[in-house]
């Protein structure tokens, strides 16, 4: 039987489905019976989902890479 | 019965995109500017973020990213496709960022960062449990019912952004690439040249800290 500390330690792997079948079943069993750990795992999941919101295109001067490319193709042709 | 696998450095990801890589390279060599623009927009954000781990100054990081694109273009003919194009690009970036950081007298070899213990972070979590492994300081209800609801709260998200910036560099890189940019663990391992085990630990620690930061922002535990 897993204890809560072990659950917290493995929670990230559990979310990534990186645990062995046996370990995953043990986690599931614990989570079924432990509301607090269920809450913890849900919060970890929410954290991961919230991080997704930071994904956006950090455009540098968008022309700079294009200019680079043009110069490179010009050089290649020499 | 647990099967213990000898911990590998990540296997090359068998991407379905291997043939796509060849197509992209061919188009670039043929001078297809649109192909290059697509590549840039796909990776630029992540490249900047990775560069920023090694280099504190944003303008220096931008320079290194530009230099990387140039190195990528110049190296295209020699690209053998043993690694994916993405991995190859990010390795060039990491190497350039590292040597630039060395020149600016701030040496942060990633391998060292990756193996550095985050004793503080681990201790923080440990402290929340009793000797028997029960919750002594349990998480409390955030009263937020979905990630979408969370994302709408600007102050809370600002807190999260600050916490992300404050992470130890290796943790910040891994959690950014995995959870912000959506990379697979294979791609992260290959590009940063760290083991699965390293990657797993760094991700765990980062997420643990960030969860705690979000909880604090919500006035919870």
């Amino acid at each position: 039987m897993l204890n809560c500390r072990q659950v917290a330690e493995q929670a990230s792997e559990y979310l990534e489905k990186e645990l062995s079948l046996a370990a995953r079943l043990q986690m599931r069993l614990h989570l079924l019976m432990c509301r607090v750990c269920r809450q913890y795992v849900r919060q970890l999941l929410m954290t991961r989902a919230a991080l997704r919101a930071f994904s956006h295109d950090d455009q540098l001067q968008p022309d700079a890479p294009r200019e680079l490319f043009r110069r490179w193709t010009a050089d290649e042709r020499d | 019965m647990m099967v213990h696998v000898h911990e590998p450095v990540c296997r090359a990801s068998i991407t379905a995109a291997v043939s796509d890589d060849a197509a992209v390279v061919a188009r670039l060599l043929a001078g297809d500017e649109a192909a290059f623009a697509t590549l840039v927009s796909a990776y630029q954000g992540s490249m900047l973020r990775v560069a920023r781990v090694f280099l504190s100054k944003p303008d220096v990081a931008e320079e290194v990213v530009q230099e990387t694109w140039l190195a990528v273009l110049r190296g295209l003919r020699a690209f053998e496709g043993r690694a994916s194009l993405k991995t190859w690009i990010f390795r060039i970036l990491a190497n350039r960022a590292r040597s630039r950081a060395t020149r600016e007298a701030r040496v942060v070899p990633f391998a060292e960062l990756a193996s550095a213990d985050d004793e503080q972070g681990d201790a923080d979590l440990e402290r929340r449990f009793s000797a028997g492994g029960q919750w002594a300081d349990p998480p409390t209800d955030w009263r937020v019912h979905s990630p979408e609801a969370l994302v709408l709260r600007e102050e809370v998200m600002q807190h999260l952004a600050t916490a992300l910036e404050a992470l130890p560099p290796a943790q910040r890189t891994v959690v950014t690439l995995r959870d912000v940019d959506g990379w697979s663990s294979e791609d992260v391992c290959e590009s940063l040249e760290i083991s699965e085990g390293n990657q797993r630990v760094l991700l765990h620690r980062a997420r643990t800290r960030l969860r705690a930061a979000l909880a604090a922002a919500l006035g919870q535990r």
Side-chain angles (χ1 to χ4, degrees), chain B residues 169-188:
Chain B
Q171 290 180 29
R172 186 165 85 243
T173 316
V174 171
V175 76
T176 302
L177 291 176
R178 292 296 312 275
D179 290 349
V180 177
D181 295 338
W183 284 30
S184 70
S185 72
E186 288 84 3
D187 280 352
V188 172

Side-chain angles (χ1 to χ4, degrees), chain B residues 8 14 17 23 25 61 66 80 99 104 119 123 127 147 151 171 196-198 211:
Chain B
I14 307 162
V25 171
Q66 294 292 58
E80 284 169 27
S99 25
E104 316 245 318
E119 280 154 8
R127 220 172 287 129
V151 166
Q171 290 180 29
E196 271 280 7
N198 260 328
R211 190 217 68 88

